[in-house]
Amino acid sequence: DAGVTQSPTHLIKTRGQHVTLRCSPISGHKSVSWYQQVLGQGPQFIFQYYEKEERGRGNFPDRFSARQFPNYSSELNVNALLLGDSALYLCASSYTGAKETQYFGPGTRLLVL
Amino acid sequence: RKEVEQDPGPFNVPEGATVAFNCTYSNSASQSFFWYRQDCRKEPKLLMSVYSSGNEDGRFTAQLNRASQYISLLIRDSKLSDSATYLCVVNRGDYKLSFGAGTTVTVRA
């Protein structure tokens, strides 16, 4: 079975632009979480979606938004990009998103110039 | 105070050595605990879950001390392939995983 997939793998944008990142969870998983990892730090929670509903949101500005589709795939959108948004964006999937194990995709590496 | 704190290391050890490190968590209501491994520029991968009674998986042993709110990981007979960053992860029982910044381990020949 395929694991979590993310696209694109790498992306270069300039300040002020917007970006859309995509994630497909493991087959059978209904929950997708998004994390941001800047260099030298652990991943920071951005959002979790379960059954197309936002279940939780981390301490990120409203420039960050997400949604989940009926097939459980998900998009993360970031508007008005800042240099500080440069990071590895990780998607994780799990059955319900509660306290069980989450499995991570390979991430999208975003560079904002 | 950060939710999860780890000694960043690095721990530089020779092959065959034993290395151990801890992390502490601040929320006493935390319910699930994990160690993830992250190789350079790759995604985190689950190494092992951590249970109250402690658990072992091959050369890796994890312990949980709820009273003192710390988790430990011990690696025996270190291999070159164990070189990585080890992330301590805590779940409060809701949807959010809280990660430490990671402990870097380098195993040298």
Side-chain angles (χ1 to χ4, degrees):
Chain A
D1 280 344
V4 180
T5 59
Q6 291 187 243
S7 64
T9 56
H10 296 81
L11 205 50
I12 300 175
K13 292 285 189 178
T14 57
R15 282 177 296 176
Q17 288 188 311
H18 75 273
V19 66
T20 298
L21 310 181
R22 296 178 175 83
C23 170
S24 292
I26 293 169
S27 178
H29 285 190
K30 298 183 178 181
S31 178
V32 169
S33 300
W34 287 95
Y35 293 82
Q36 180 197 64
Q37 186 176 24
V38 299
L39 199 62
Q41 297 182 22
Q44 297 294 312
F45 173 76
I46 309 175
F47 286 110
Q48 187 181 87
Y49 277 77
Y50 175 66
E51 292 279 19
K52 297 172 288 180
E53 297 290 326
E54 181 183 304
R55 175 180 275 169
R57 182 186 184 114
N59 188 24
F60 280 80
D62 291 343
R63 299 185 296 107
F64 289 76
S65 63
R67 55 180 176 166
Q68 186 177 33
F69 299 99
N71 67 353
Y72 304 112
S73 67
S74 178
E75 284 182 354
L76 175 69
N77 294 283
V78 187
N79 293 323
L81 286 167
L82 303 174
L83 297 180
D85 296 331
S86 297
L88 177 66
Y89 288 85
L90 294 160
C91 172
S93 85
S94 60
Y95 286 106
T96 67
K99 58 182 180 179
E100 77 247 11
T101 302
Q102 296 185 16
Y103 297 90
F104 285 83
T108 294
R109 197 165 296 277
L110 172 65
L111 177 62
V112 182
L113 300 176
Chain B
R1 183 183 175 188
K2 293 182 180 179
E3 286 192 62
V4 182
E5 298 204 58
Q6 293 184 246
D7 181 346
F11 289 79
N12 293 302
V13 299
E15 270 188 297
T18 296
V19 59
F21 41 89
N22 298 334
C23 86
T24 59
Y25 60 94
S26 61
N27 191 327
S28 59
S30 298
Q31 295 188 21
S32 303
F33 308 89
F34 308 90
W35 283 103
Y36 277 73
R37 170 196 168 122
Q38 187 171 30
D39 294 297
C40 187
R41 302 178 71 82
K42 299 283 190 178
E43 74 273 23
K45 293 186 177 179
L46 179 68
L47 179 67
M48 58 197 302
S49 301
V50 186
Y51 304 117
S52 296
S53 56
N55 50 302
E56 190 173 305
D57 183 359
R59 297 180 294 105
F60 298 85
T61 301
Q63 296 281 350
L64 168 63
N65 185 317
R66 285 189 183 270
S68 300
Q69 295 181 206
Y70 78 81
I71 308 154
S72 65
L73 181 67
L74 181 146
I75 307 173
R76 286 186 301 278
D77 189 23
S78 298
K79 311 291 185 190
L80 294 175
S81 58
D82 294 335
S83 297
T85 296
Y86 292 85
L87 298 167
C88 177
V89 185
V90 173
N91 185 307
R92 299 175 301 187
D94 55 13
Y95 46 84
K96 170 188 167 186
L97 294 182
S98 296
F99 285 78
T103 296
T104 299
V105 174
T106 301
V107 182
R108 62 183 188 274

